[in-house]
């Protein structure tokens, strides 16, 4: 509860990455649309959607999801789907091709796009999992789950430089080259141990606490619940 209150709710547009353990779930909140990318992990009775995602959404006054994206068939990414769909039965489902046969009236992620004056969502040309290029407030966000190194290499070669990236395979796998001019790109992982190849880059890890990126025309700021300077209660108590 303290963690939820520490990440302040507001009416701004943002990307919020839930601390769901060795899994992934991210909320994109814009003035036009609220989209949940993956539903977190389910493992041996632990349902991160029930214990973390739903209470956080309630705390943030999120009472409607327009879209739920299921990036690929992996319980670290879609384990909380039953719980989330029960809570938001009217949300439009956008799914990977391997999952479409299980979900009636769903849309293939490669066929989904959206455009308004304030938000553009376009699919990225991936096969391993769903991936989207988001433009909001002139900031570019890549929502990515799992990719192969070859898909990643093609992506960074063909697409313009983004501002924010959900890093492939949650940051735990080697083999994903980070371009030399990406020092200012915000990378987000969600794994117990970020691979050492990426540790010297601007990478944040949602495994140890929620991450919130405030997005506006003049700023792109990051708050992390694992930041002990902001979240004073997480700092060790010094001996007197």
């Amino acid at each position: 509860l303290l963690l939820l209150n520490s990440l302040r709710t507001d009416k701004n547009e943002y990307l919020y990455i839930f601390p769901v353990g060795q899994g992934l779930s991210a909320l994109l909140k814009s003035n036009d649309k609220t989209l949940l990318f993956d539903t977190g992990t389910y493992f041996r009775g632990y349902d991160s959607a029930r214990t973390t995602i739903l209470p956080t959404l309630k705390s943030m006054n999120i009472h409607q999801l327009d879209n739920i994206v299921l990036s690929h068939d992996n319980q670290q990414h879609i384990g909380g789907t039953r719980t989330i769909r029960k809570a938001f039965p009217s949300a439009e489902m956008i799914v990977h091709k391997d999952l479409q046969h299980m979900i009636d009236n769903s849309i293939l992620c490669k066929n989904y796009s959206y455009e308004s004056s304030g938000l553009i969502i376009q699919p990225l040309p991936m096969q391993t999992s769903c991936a989207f290029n988001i433009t909001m407030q002139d900031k570019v966000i890549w929502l990515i789950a799992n990719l192969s190194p070859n898909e990643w290499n093609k992506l960074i070669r063909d697409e313009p430089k983004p501002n924010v990236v959900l890093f492939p395979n949650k940051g735990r796998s080697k083999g994903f080259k980070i371009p030399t001019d990406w020092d200012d790109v915000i990378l987000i992982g969600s794994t117990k141990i970020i691979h050492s190849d990426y540790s010297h880059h601007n990478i944040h890890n949602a495994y140890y606490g929620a991450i919130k990126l405030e997005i506006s025309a003049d700023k792109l700021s990051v708050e992390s619940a694992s930041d002990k300077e902001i979240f004073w209660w997480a700092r060790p108590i010094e001996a007197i």
Side-chain angles (χ1 to χ4, degrees):
L1 180 59
L2 187 56
L3 170 61
L4 301 181
N5 290 335
S6 297
L7 291 169
R8 300 179 297 277
T9 60
D10 52 53
K11 297 180 180 180
N12 290 344
E13 298 181 302
Y14 54 82
L15 178 69
Y16 186 101
I17 299 86
F18 297 90
V20 293
Q22 194 79 19
L24 181 66
S25 184
L27 176 75
L28 181 76
K29 174 67 172 66
S30 77
N31 293 328
D32 300 296
K33 186 176 283 289
T34 303
L35 178 149
L36 187 71
F37 186 82
D38 280 345
T39 60
T41 189
Y42 185 94
F43 182 69
R44 295 181 179 176
Y46 169 70
D47 182 354
S48 61
R50 180 173 290 108
T51 61
T52 301
I53 299 173
L54 288 185
T56 304
L57 292 174
K58 181 178 180 181
S59 174
M60 299 171 77
N61 295 315
I62 301 294
H63 303 297
Q64 174 181 327
L65 293 178
D66 297 301
N67 303 104
I68 299 169
V69 177
L70 304 182
S71 68
H72 64 300
D73 190 3
N74 184 303
Q75 287 300 302
Q76 293 183 349
H77 291 255
I78 64 169
T81 300
R82 183 188 298 272
T83 298
I84 295 296
R85 292 197 73 191
K86 184 176 180 180
F88 301 97
S90 63
E92 186 176 50
M93 300 299 297
I94 303 167
V95 303
H96 188 262
K97 59 183 176 62
D98 293 343
L99 296 166
Q100 191 176 36
H101 69 281
M102 293 187 279
I103 301 176
D104 293 338
N105 302 315
S106 58
I107 302 171
L108 284 177
C109 54
K110 70 176 184 178
N111 296 334
Y112 179 79
S113 63
Y114 175 87
E115 184 169 352
S116 70
S117 59
L119 178 68
I120 301 173
I121 303 175
Q122 293 289 341
L124 290 167
M126 302 294 110
Q127 296 296 321
T128 304
S129 72
C130 297
F132 289 98
N133 184 51
I134 313 290
T135 303
M136 185 166 68
Q137 298 285 2
D138 295 323
K139 308 297 190 299
V140 176
I141 302 165
W142 288 357
L143 297 183
I144 293 173
N146 284 19
L147 301 182
S148 70
N150 286 338
E151 287 177 311
W152 173 252
N153 289 337
K154 186 176 187 302
L155 186 63
I156 62 176
R157 184 191 68 215
D158 296 346
E159 296 289 333
K161 174 183 170 181
N163 300 101
V164 179
V165 176
L166 292 186
F167 203 70
N169 303 357
K170 302 180 287 293
R172 68 182 180 185
S173 304
K174 65 182 298 185
F176 295 92
K177 178 183 177 182
I178 299 175
T180 56
D181 64 340
W182 275 30
D183 289 345
D184 57 341
V185 176
I186 299 170
L187 308 175
I188 307 295
S190 183
T191 186
K192 187 174 183 179
I193 300 175
I194 297 288
H195 196 277
S196 58
D197 286 356
Y198 320 125
S199 60
H200 60 289
H201 291 275
N202 185 20
I203 190 163
H204 303 261
N205 192 359
Y207 182 91
Y208 295 103
I211 295 171
K212 185 177 183 181
L213 291 92
E214 297 272 6
I215 303 167
S216 66
D218 58 354
K219 75 171 184 177
L220 180 60
S221 60
V222 183
E223 284 188 2
S224 172
S226 63
D227 187 335
K228 295 180 181 180
E229 295 302 318
I230 297 175
F231 296 90
W232 56 267
W233 48 265
R235 293 199 297 259
I237 299 175
E238 296 182 359
I240 299 175

